[in-house]
Amino acid sequence: MPGEDWPRRWRMEGVRLLCAPGEPLLEGAIEVADGCITALGPNLPPDAQITSLDRTGMLVIPGFVQGHIHLCQSLFQGLAEGRRLDRWLRERIWPLEAALDEESLRAAARWGIAQTLLHGGTTILDMGTVHDTDVIAETAREMGVRIILGKALMDAGDGVPPALTQPPETAFREALALHDRWHGSADGRLQVSFAPRFTLSVSGALWRQLAAEARRRGMLVHTHASETPWENERCREMHGLTPVRALAEWGVFDAPSVLVHTVCIDEEEIDLLAGHGVGVIHCPGSNAKLGSGTAPAWRLHAAGVAVGLGADGVACNDQLSVPAEMRLAAQLQSLREGPGVLSAREVFAWATDRGAAAVNLGDRIGRLAVGRRADLLLFREAELPWPPDLPREQGFVYASAGLRPAEVIVDGRQLVAGGELLTGDLSTIRREAAQQRQRLLARLERKEAQWEFPAN
Ligand SMILES: [Zn+2]
């Protein structure tokens, strides 16, 4: 387990704390026992049982919630360029995913988790893939990140490689077995959701079945919805409704649920999501690169929807960085709605406490408060690239490109120190990712994978 030699009870002294967006900075210390924040602020009474850590000059903020990624795609950077979603999936991403094996999936998950942690992402909501999802759970456990993982469900649809299509009963059984094996493990750091890929790759019968089971188990349902006009059109042809209306019809919103993208939704659908407490993950970088559009993120937020941010995968974004998504989200909403409509504090909240609420972890993480899990980032104040009187939220949203946390703590354990990953050797992770990527491409060229990989 990571951080085994890290103290069970500790106190970081001499820090400034940005506990939640919009709150005044708090001077003093933060105290943690067994992964949980137990005290905050100035003048904490001395306690000989607690390991004292001098962090003078450090700013402490809540860890960022990486609200939607595909760890399995972390070897695919640059392999699916210049395509809109439908061709991007059919011609590149699905064949590549179908060619993954356990070893390449492990290398991809390690690389993706390392990049997420080094950019300050402490919680991941992952879409998984169809096969070998246990590898993602094992890797997350080993590297110490907080994760909600899932097995991607695909039992229907056009252009899906046979290797990624399963009979609905197999898909459902494997998703439940994953939940039974991993949900709540590693002191609750690992959780398991349903991850039906989208309305075009899952049959109505399977949607109804998983919605009922998710309601029964209190299990999160994580899916893509209304990313492009093509998806909406095909969903109407297949199911007679737009994705959001179809999901409502199947009972998905009666379970804890989170939709990713929602680029092409109307006002009535925004009200439907707000009324059912459905979270939304906004992925501005992915939506821009694939030419999908700009989601009505501010409108969703204004209607009361918990909005979070996600990078999606490296094949449609290139970087697994929440700060990069904050900046782009703020800028694109300014273009879409006009400047000043959305504040930097609100966007910072999308990366922290609203993002946590969007992925159904709003009572556990997302802000620094007694009783919350200790997921936090430390930055050297003297090195922040903005004037000291600027609100910190504004600095992080607009001016933190290239800025990495000096220290990353997840569930009370130190995973990054001095900007270096502690729960894996980065040069080994990088080398293995490069090797596995070459092997994957060689398998596709030899057509060992069950799907043709068209030339550019
Ligand atoms: Zn995605």
Side-chain angles (χ1 to χ4, degrees), residues 97-113:
E97 272 192 38
L100 284 167
D101 59 13
E102 272 193 48
E103 270 185 286
S104 48
L105 181 58
R106 197 177 304 277
R110 281 198 180 127
W111 176 249
I113 291 172

Side-chain angles (χ1 to χ4, degrees), residues 1-332:
M1 285 294 289
E4 267 178 1
D5 49 354
W6 184 249
R8 200 172 61 74
R9 295 179 68 197
W10 50 264
R11 180 189 287 176
M12 286 181 171
E13 318 238 24
V15 296
R16 274 211 250 187
L17 303 153
L18 175 60
C19 293
E23 288 190 6
L25 292 174
L26 199 60
E27 310 257 354
I30 179 166
E31 194 175 288
V32 169
D34 296 320
C36 183
I37 299 171
T38 49
L40 290 159
N43 308 318
L44 301 186
D47 186 337
Q49 305 299 311
I50 295 175
T51 303
S52 173
L53 305 164
D54 182 8
R55 291 295 187 273
T56 303
M58 292 295 215
L59 173 69
V60 184
I61 69 170
F64 295 133
V65 177
Q66 178 57 273
H68 174 71
I69 59 178
H70 298 250
L71 288 171
C72 75
Q73 295 173 10
S74 301
L75 307 180
F76 305 167
Q77 186 164 7
L79 298 180
E81 300 295 292
R83 288 165 168 80
R84 287 195 189 273
L85 179 68
D86 51 337
R87 290 184 55 214
W88 183 84
L89 286 170
R90 284 196 297 240
E91 296 176 1
R92 296 285 159 153
I93 296 304
W94 287 341
L96 284 160
E97 272 192 38
L100 284 167
D101 59 13
E102 272 193 48
E103 270 185 286
S104 48
L105 181 58
R106 197 177 304 277
R110 281 198 180 127
W111 176 249
I113 291 172
Q115 291 303 309
T116 301
L117 286 170
L118 290 168
H119 285 92
T122 50
T123 292
I124 287 172
L125 175 61
D126 185 57
M127 175 54 65
T129 183
V130 174
H131 302 291
D132 304 320
T133 321
D134 289 281
V135 167
I136 294 174
E138 288 159 13
T139 309
R141 183 178 57 186
E142 158 199 318
M143 295 182 74
V145 75
R146 187 180 304 284
I147 191 167
I148 306 172
L149 61 112
K151 164 194 161 56
L153 300 177
M154 300 175 85
D155 75 321
D158 314 325
V160 183
L164 292 184
T165 311
Q166 292 184 307
E169 55 279 5
T170 309
F172 186 67
R173 190 180 63 243
E174 289 186 5
L176 290 190
L178 193 75
H179 187 258
D180 291 341
R181 272 197 297 282
W182 294 102
H183 188 72
S185 66
D187 300 325
R189 228 175 3 87
L190 270 63
Q191 294 198 1
V192 177
S193 74
F194 276 117
R197 194 157 194 145
F198 66 159
T199 58
L200 307 191
S201 71
V202 179
S203 63
L206 182 53
W207 276 112
R208 286 185 194 278
Q209 187 182 22
L210 73 89
E213 187 65 19
R215 204 161 53 240
R216 202 174 68 74
R217 294 191 180 214
M219 199 171 157
L220 182 68
V221 181
H222 167 207
T223 191
H224 302 96
S226 283
E227 185 172 352
T228 64
W230 162 75
E231 179 193 332
N232 280 15
E233 199 45 48
R234 284 294 295 133
C235 187
R236 275 197 206 93
E237 287 165 18
M238 284 173 71
H239 304 294
L241 293 166
T242 60
V244 169
R245 290 184 176 89
L247 294 169
E249 172 76 17
W250 294 322
V252 173
F253 300 158
D254 300 327
S257 42
V258 57
L259 305 188
V260 181
H261 300 308
T262 65
V263 173
C264 307
I265 56 170
D266 60 33
E267 293 293 329
E268 202 180 289
E269 290 174 320
I270 290 175
D271 290 342
L272 188 63
L273 298 178
H276 283 84
V278 178
V280 165
I281 300 299
H282 177 39
C283 302
S286 164
N287 297 155
K289 184 161 183 183
L290 297 186
S292 303
T294 308
W298 173 76
R299 287 172 187 271
L300 285 155
H301 172 81
V305 172
V307 175
L309 295 169
D312 219 345
V314 296
C316 56
N317 188 312
D318 293 76
Q319 199 172 36
L320 302 177
S321 159
V322 178
E325 301 308 314
M326 282 200 285
R327 178 177 153 100
L328 193 56
Q331 292 169 331
L332 291 176

